[in-house]
Amino acid sequence: TTELDIKDARRLFHTNLMFTGTSSGAGNNIWPAPGKLMIGAIEYATPALAVAEAVSGDTIYAGVGSFTCDDVTLPSGVNLVGGDRDATIFLTTTGQNALQLGGSNYVANVTIQNTANSASERRALRINTTGSTCFNCEFIVTNASTGGTRAVLADSAAVHTNYLISCKTSATGGGTDYGIFANSASALVLYVLNCYIQGDFASIAV
């Protein structure tokens, strides 16, 4: 274990994220570049463009920065790995969800955020498929209107199993706000391991 491992462990999420070249200059020779996403050697400017090209088995790597993410669905079998949880932000200001999981996804080291104000419910992450793991992620939702919030909504209609590991949620607004909402009408298993769950009135509703 190196000194870097101990001091900045939240960055050590995926062995395939590479930094090359010299360290001189802000963002110089960093892969992927700040504000960009990459699949293999191909660079994309937005999450929507990246997921449109991604196929099962691909990993979308995201450099630090803020990305517009309006109801984007991560395709089945596609992974999303960020450069720094606190500085790699997928944000919607208009969508009901920021990100939805298509199934069998691995999402790590990102912040998913929804700041849309609406009389209808708003969520950061929606899970209605199976086989996904979110690791070292933060899910934030704020809705100043009366619609209510779900930082993470799990509402699978079948027997689905998913994991939240070392994640953090925050849900605030003018309605009923939940850090995690697991729909009691859904046949699902959601493992919540080593997470910090915050909601205004109830952290978890089942």
Side-chain angles (χ1 to χ4, degrees), residues 28 78 97 119 176 178 189-190:
N28 187 42
V78 173
N97 310 284
T176 304
Y178 297 101
V189 177
L190 180 64

Side-chain angles (χ1 to χ4, degrees), residues 50-70:
V51 300
E53 296 298 324
V55 298
S56 182
D58 283 344
T59 295
I60 300 171
Y61 293 101
V64 297
S66 182
F67 302 91
T68 298
C69 193
D70 297 328

Side-chain angles (χ1 to χ4, degrees), residues 105-179:
N105 307 116
Y106 175 75
V107 180
N109 230 45
V110 295
T111 291
I112 310 296
Q113 186 171 10
N114 190 332
T115 61
N117 294 325
S118 174
S120 61
E121 181 183 299
R122 289 295 180 260
R123 313 127 178 185
L125 177 73
R126 183 185 180 209
I127 307 171
N128 67 338
T129 51
T130 192
S132 294
T133 296
C134 296
F135 173 75
N136 191 38
C137 296
E138 185 165 5
F139 306 102
I140 303 170
V141 58
T142 56
N143 181 2
S145 191
T146 58
T149 61
R150 314 284 190 260
V152 176
L153 171 66
D155 63 345
S156 308
V159 182
H160 290 165
T161 301
N162 297 280
Y163 294 81
L164 301 180
I165 303 173
S166 299
C167 293
K168 180 180 179 181
T169 74
S170 175
T172 58
T176 304
D177 307 300
Y178 297 101

Side-chain angles (χ1 to χ4, degrees), residues 37 67 93 109 171 195:
L37 305 106
F67 302 91
T93 60
N109 230 45
C195 294

Side-chain angles (χ1 to χ4, degrees), residues 173-189:
T176 304
D177 307 300
Y178 297 101
I180 296 177
F181 191 98
N183 193 334
S184 60
S186 302
L188 59 88
V189 177

